[in-house]
């Protein structure tokens, strides 16, 4: 077993599965998309991870779905008839950890009919989301120089994020371990206004991409343009360190964030969601 050192409640949306070909067409099954999906796994690792017949099983004390779900990366050696047994194996792992089994469904999930199978086995579709990217050439410059950039996770930065996102002590501890375990090419950003912190975020660089994580604005400072300035700072930092493209993940329910990302030029690359048994 590989040991490695994630948010507020997420909403359920519809339960109808897409046919594999419709999923691929609707969600963007591309080589670039598949590579970005791999980067998201690296940037936000599980505290415990191991592979079972091509599926990556991730556990992180229940903190964030992405770090506590099955990532079905490859079909593995088993035949399709063995899939129910394979799902049962995963269910047992999560049950023993005191968690409910979650499966992350992307255009790259294997086998291609897994979403349909999970639906048939009583798994509901929750938190439809998307991965979006933006080229880093031609980006507007940040309007403010009030930014602090730390190459190591500090207690102050984590305290701000945990406070603004209302993390419990246990969640903050899991977040700290996860962020310390990711790729070394990362930085932690604090946007300042009149010398006071107003927004925070993390940038992670790998393979020419900069991923944006833990993006949050202080609750009493929202809708004032601080989020946009923070994102521009992170993206320009990425460009200055060899990245050519920025990416992020966002829930479909987060309309205000999507409007901001649209303004900055982010485009949807592919959709994803989770499957959880009997959540509705």
């Amino acid at each position: 077993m590989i040991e490695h050192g994630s948010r507020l409640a997420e909403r359920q949306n519809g339960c109808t599965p897409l046919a594999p070909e419709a999923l691929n067409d609707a969600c963007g099954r591309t080589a670039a998309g598949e590579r970005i999906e791999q980067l998201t796994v690296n940037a936000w690792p599980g505290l415990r991870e191991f592979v079972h017949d091509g599926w990556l099983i991730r556990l992180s004390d229940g903190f964030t779905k992405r770090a506590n779900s099955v990532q079905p990366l490859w079909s593995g050696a088993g035949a399709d008839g063995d899939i129910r047994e394979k799902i049962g194996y995963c269910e047992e792992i999560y049950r023993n950890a005191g968690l409910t089994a979650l499966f992350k469904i992307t255009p790259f999930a294997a086998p291609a009919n897994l979403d349909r199978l999970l639906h048939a086995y009583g798994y509901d579709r929750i938190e439809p989301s998307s991965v979006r990217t933006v080229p880093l050439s031609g980006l507007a410059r940040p309007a403010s120089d009030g930014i602090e950039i730390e190459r190591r996770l500090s207690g102050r930065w984590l305290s701000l994020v945990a406070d603004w996102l209302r993390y419990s002590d246990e969640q903050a501890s899991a977040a700290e371990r996860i962020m310390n375990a990711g790729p070394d090419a990362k930085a932690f950003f604090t946007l300042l206004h009149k010398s006071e912190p107003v927004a925070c975020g993390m940038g992670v660089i790998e393979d020419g991409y900069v991923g944006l994580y833990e993006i949050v604005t202080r609750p009493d400072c929202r809708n004032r343009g601080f989020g946009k300035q923070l994102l521009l700072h992170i993206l320009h930092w990425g460009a200055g360190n060899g990245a050519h493209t920025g990416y992020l993940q966002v829930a479909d329910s987060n309309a205000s964030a999507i409007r901001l990302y649209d303004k900055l030029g982010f485009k949807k690359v592919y959709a994803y969601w989770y499957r959880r048994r009997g959540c509705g």
Side-chain angles (χ1 to χ4, degrees), residues 167-249:
Y167 286 162
S168 66
D169 290 345
E170 292 78 12
Q171 290 173 323
S173 174
E176 179 179 18
R177 287 176 284 157
I178 287 170
M179 288 185 282
N180 277 329
D184 289 335
K186 59 178 174 276
F188 303 87
F189 297 76
T190 304
L191 185 74
L192 304 176
H193 177 66
K194 296 182 179 179
S195 301
E196 291 294 321
V198 293
C200 289
M202 179 177 74
V204 182
I205 296 176
E206 185 180 0
D207 197 23
Y209 291 85
V210 55
L212 283 64
Y213 292 85
E214 296 297 87
I215 304 300
V216 59
T217 300
R218 200 173 81 194
D220 62 333
C221 293
R222 290 172 183 164
N223 302 312
R224 294 172 59 183
F226 295 132
K228 177 181 178 180
Q229 296 307 310
L230 174 69
L231 294 178
L232 287 173
H233 276 292
I234 299 176
L235 292 171
H236 277 281
W237 169 81
N241 286 276
H244 53 72
T245 302
Y247 75 85
L248 51 76
Q249 303 161 90

Side-chain angles (χ1 to χ4, degrees), residues 47-116:
L47 298 180
R48 291 188 293 149
E49 297 184 346
F50 56 96
V51 175
H52 174 67
D53 194 29
W55 289 3
L56 178 63
I57 300 173
R58 318 176 81 202
L59 302 102
S60 302
D61 299 335
F63 182 59
T64 73
K65 287 180 175 62
R66 53 191 142 155
N68 291 274
S69 54
V70 179
Q71 193 96 11
L73 300 174
W74 313 283
S75 293
D80 285 349
D82 299 328
I83 295 299
R84 185 63 189 95
E85 182 178 341
K86 197 167 168 180
I87 292 171
Y89 177 89
C90 296
E91 290 173 339
E92 171 114 8
I93 292 290
Y94 285 96
R95 185 164 49 247
N96 291 339
L99 301 171
T100 300
L102 281 173
F103 292 81
K104 187 177 181 183
I105 302 298
T106 73
F108 325 108
N113 63 341
L114 179 60
D115 191 55
R116 278 186 168 181

